[in-house]
Structure formats: structure tokens, C-alpha cells
Amino acid sequence: AAGVIQSPRHLIKEKRETATLKCYPIPRHDTVYWYQQGPGQDPQFLISFYEKMQSDKGSIPDRFSAQQFSDYHSELNMSSLELGDSALYFCASSLAGLYEQYFGPGTRLTVT
Amino acid sequence: AQTVTQSQPEMSVQEAETVTLSCTYDTSENNYYLFWYKQPPSRQMILVIRQEAYKQQNATENRFSVNFQKAAKSFSLKISDSQLGDTAMYFCAFMGTSGTYKYIFGTGTRLKVLA
């Protein structure tokens, strides 16, 4: 069965640079969630989209923005990167009305 | 606001033994979902088991079962016949149904299965 795809899997950036993370949900899933997991921490909700509209927002810095496109894939744009942005970024998808989220493998972002 | 608490940062268990991981949560909602996720060294988030709050019966999945106590807001995970491959970080997660369906995770329990 198709799973959630995230790209790239690993990304190394310098401080003040910009990064774009991509998420391709499971086919027919219309809802995407982004989570950030810092070293030794639990995943923290950043933002979610349903049918290309933002549905909820968590502790996402103003330097970050995201959107969901017409094909339901989503991109998380991160600007003015800081050392503290180094983390594992998960994307998860679900079908509206169903409670279970399916997680992608994550993108490991390292800011040097 | 909902919170999820895992009070055991680390646990260990001998292979083939049984271990129970604790999770408590706080919510004012009546209908919600609870999950246990496993995160091995690969960092992939793997669903272990889920429980719907309106269901009285505790969920079971092979060697994994839960003890769901709604009144006490407790949701523990029991792993029977522990295997070396069970070594991982385990996260308890809550999902409410009154707003959007984001997950709220606990801080995790690192489980080590000893040979």
C-alpha cells in the first residue's frame, strides 16, 4: 500500500538560509499535518490543512509557512533558519472523518 | 487544553517478559481517541494500537493490549512476550474530536528489551 512520502529525507542548511520540505499524502487523503520533533523530544504539532485550506495552527514560528496544493501535496517553507530549527519534521495524512493519521518517514533538518 | 503525561522516561524488560507503560491524559471532551506509537531507532512513527473512548472494551493487537480507564483518564500499554525488536521509544497520543484532529503526544517512554 502507498505510504506518505516526504522529501528530502535529510537536509543540511546554514543559519539564515531557507529550506522547503515536501509531503505527498496517501492517495485520496485530503488532510495533511506537520509535526516537529526536536532531539529527545516528543513530536509537536505545527500546522494542518484540509482540502487545501489551513485547518489548525500550533506552535509554528512566523518564519515558517506552509500550504497544500491542488494535488493535496504540502510544502513547509522555513526561512531565516536558526540552530534550534534542527529537528525531525514529520508529515502525516488522513482522510477527513477518519481519526487515524499515517506518518511519513520524516525529514531530518540540520542547521549549522 | 488537553495534556498527555508519560511518567516513565525509561524502562527495561527481559525478553519474553511482560511490561506495562503508563499514560495519563487530561481532557474535558467526552469523545476522543488514544494511540500508542512506537518509534524505533529509524525514527519512523509506527502505530501500535488505538482506542476509541466510547468503546468500553480494551483494544488488543497480538502481543499488545491496553488498559483504558476512562474515568481515571488512564491509558496504559501492556506488551506481552517482549521481543528484542520491541526496543524503541513509545509515545502515547491523544486526539480530540471537537476541533481539528491534531495529535497531542506525551513525552515518551524509552523501552529496552534485554536478552
Side-chain angles (χ1 to χ4, degrees):
Chain A
V4 177
I5 297 171
Q6 290 188 246
S7 68
R9 293 292 308 277
H10 301 275
L11 191 58
I12 300 174
K13 291 285 185 178
E14 294 188 354
K15 282 193 329 184
R16 293 179 288 279
E17 285 191 322
T18 296
T20 297
L21 280 54
K22 296 184 179 183
C23 169
Y24 298 86
I26 291 172
R28 294 187 298 280
H29 281 194
D30 51 16
T31 307
V32 168
Y33 305 82
W34 286 95
Y35 295 87
Q36 177 192 56
Q37 186 179 26
Q41 297 180 359
D42 54 291
Q44 295 287 319
F45 171 73
L46 290 177
I47 196 166
S48 62
F49 292 89
Y50 166 64
E51 282 290 344
K52 292 151 280 184
M53 298 288 289
Q54 180 181 309
S55 53
D56 197 5
K57 197 172 181 179
S59 49
I60 183 170
D62 292 340
R63 301 178 288 107
F64 293 7
S65 65
Q67 57 182 322
Q68 186 179 31
F69 294 86
S70 57
D71 64 351
Y72 294 103
H73 94 272
S74 178
E75 295 184 4
L76 178 64
N77 298 292
M78 310 160 71
S79 63
S80 302
L81 287 169
E82 301 174 357
L83 296 178
D85 296 329
S86 295
L88 187 60
Y89 290 83
F90 285 108
C91 170
S93 75
S94 70
L95 191 58
L98 299 181
Y99 52 82
E100 185 171 337
Q101 295 179 24
Y102 295 80
F103 283 80
T107 293
R108 183 180 299 278
L109 172 66
T110 302
V111 181
T112 62
Chain B
Q2 294 93 350
T3 58
V4 178
T5 302
Q6 292 179 250
S7 58
Q8 305 152 313
E10 292 185 0
M11 294 190 73
S12 62
V13 62
Q14 288 293 138
E15 198 175 7
E17 297 289 305
T18 295
V19 64
T20 299
L21 280 58
S22 301
C23 173
T24 58
Y25 58 94
D26 190 26
T27 184
S28 57
E29 297 189 41
N30 191 49
N31 192 25
Y32 47 86
Y33 297 87
L34 296 162
F35 307 87
W36 279 98
Y37 277 86
K38 170 184 177 181
Q39 189 176 44
S42 67
R43 307 296 299 278
Q44 174 77 46
M45 294 291 282
I46 302 167
L47 177 65
V48 175
I49 200 165
R50 58 178 169 264
Q51 175 78 43
E52 295 153 55
Y54 64 87
K55 287 189 176 179
Q56 301 268 356
Q57 188 172 7
N58 289 324
T60 61
E61 287 287 342
N62 301 313
R63 299 182 294 108
F64 300 89
S65 62
V66 299
N67 182 6
F68 173 51
Q69 302 288 330
K70 190 173 183 179
K73 296 179 180 174
S74 171
F75 181 60
S76 61
L77 174 69
K78 185 170 84 170
I79 306 174
S80 304
D81 186 25
S82 297
Q83 300 176 0
L84 296 177
D86 295 334
T87 293
M89 193 74 161
Y90 287 81
F91 290 101
C92 177
F94 169 97
M95 190 201 83
T97 59
S98 63
T100 61
Y101 303 107
K102 62 177 181 278
Y103 283 5
I104 298 170
F105 289 90
T107 51
T109 296
R110 185 174 303 281
L111 176 67
K112 189 170 184 179
V113 180
L114 307 171

